Amino acid sequence: MNEATKAILMNTVKEWAKFTGDRDKFAVIAEEIAAITRKCVQDSLVFFKLQNIDVEADSPDTMKILKVPVQISAVIDATFPNVKTSVLMKCGGATRSIIINPNMTISAGGQAITYDQLKKGIPPAFETNSADFVRDAFLNVARTGGKEA
């Protein structure tokens, strides 16, 4: 095999290694952000529960609003050479996404925050975004009984 052939193949291997590294790194980050989001949503549901609203908030994995499950999951869309990640919040017909940008900033309504900022402490805007989702989900489930349009 000549040097030009090896160079072509090595560049392909490097591109693939970068893609798989980014995919794995962003998958871990998306799972961490999903866990933080579950905690924020759970806190909002606990507040609702204290107001005698029919919610379940004993565990971040089994939350419900008016008996309709709340789903919060990391979404990894990895198609070579691009990796797109987000966190999807869903309950009944209400949905909201938190976008994880390639530059490690997080768009969750309002001004983008860095991943490092989020790891140091949950900014008020991030908590507000979760509370907005809980409000939207509650109102949607109350109107539709949890059926998606």
Side-chain angles (χ1 to χ4, degrees):
M1 184 177 294
N2 66 41
E3 291 305 311
T5 303
K6 286 179 187 177
I8 289 169
L9 297 175
M10 272 316 295
N11 282 337
T12 303
V13 168
K14 287 177 186 175
E15 288 176 36
W16 182 253
K18 180 186 179 320
F19 167 74
T20 58
D22 285 350
R23 180 192 62 202
D24 296 347
K25 175 177 76 174
F26 278 96
V28 167
I29 290 168
E31 289 295 340
E32 288 178 11
I33 293 170
I36 293 167
T37 303
R38 282 186 206 97
K39 177 66 176 128
C40 290
V41 168
Q42 183 185 22
D43 289 347
S44 292
L45 291 176
V46 166
F47 179 83
F48 267 7
K49 191 172 193 164
L50 292 172
Q51 308 308 311
N52 296 318
I53 294 179
D54 183 14
V55 297
E56 293 179 31
D58 297 332
S59 163
D61 298 320
T62 59
M63 298 179 289
K64 292 183 180 180
I65 297 174
L66 301 173
K67 307 218 183 325
V68 176
V70 175
Q71 301 166 338
I72 301 172
S73 56
V75 178
I76 295 91
D77 178 13
T79 305
F80 183 80
N82 301 310
V83 178
K84 297 176 186 174
T85 52
S86 61
V87 173
L88 178 66
M89 298 182 281
K90 187 173 181 179
C91 180
T95 60
R96 188 171 289 228
S97 292
I98 298 170
I99 306 300
I100 303 159
N101 300 306
N103 65 355
M104 303 288 283
T105 59
I106 299 156
S107 300
Q111 186 175 357
I113 57 173
T114 67
Y115 174 63
D116 288 337
Q117 284 175 307
L118 185 61
K119 286 185 72 165
K120 289 178 186 171
I122 300 169
F126 195 88
E127 289 179 326
T128 301
N129 185 59
S130 296
D132 282 341
F133 165 73
V134 169
R135 179 204 58 218
D136 293 349
F138 173 75
L139 296 174
N140 180 281
V141 170
R143 279 192 289 268
T144 67
K147 295 178 179 67
E148 295 183 36

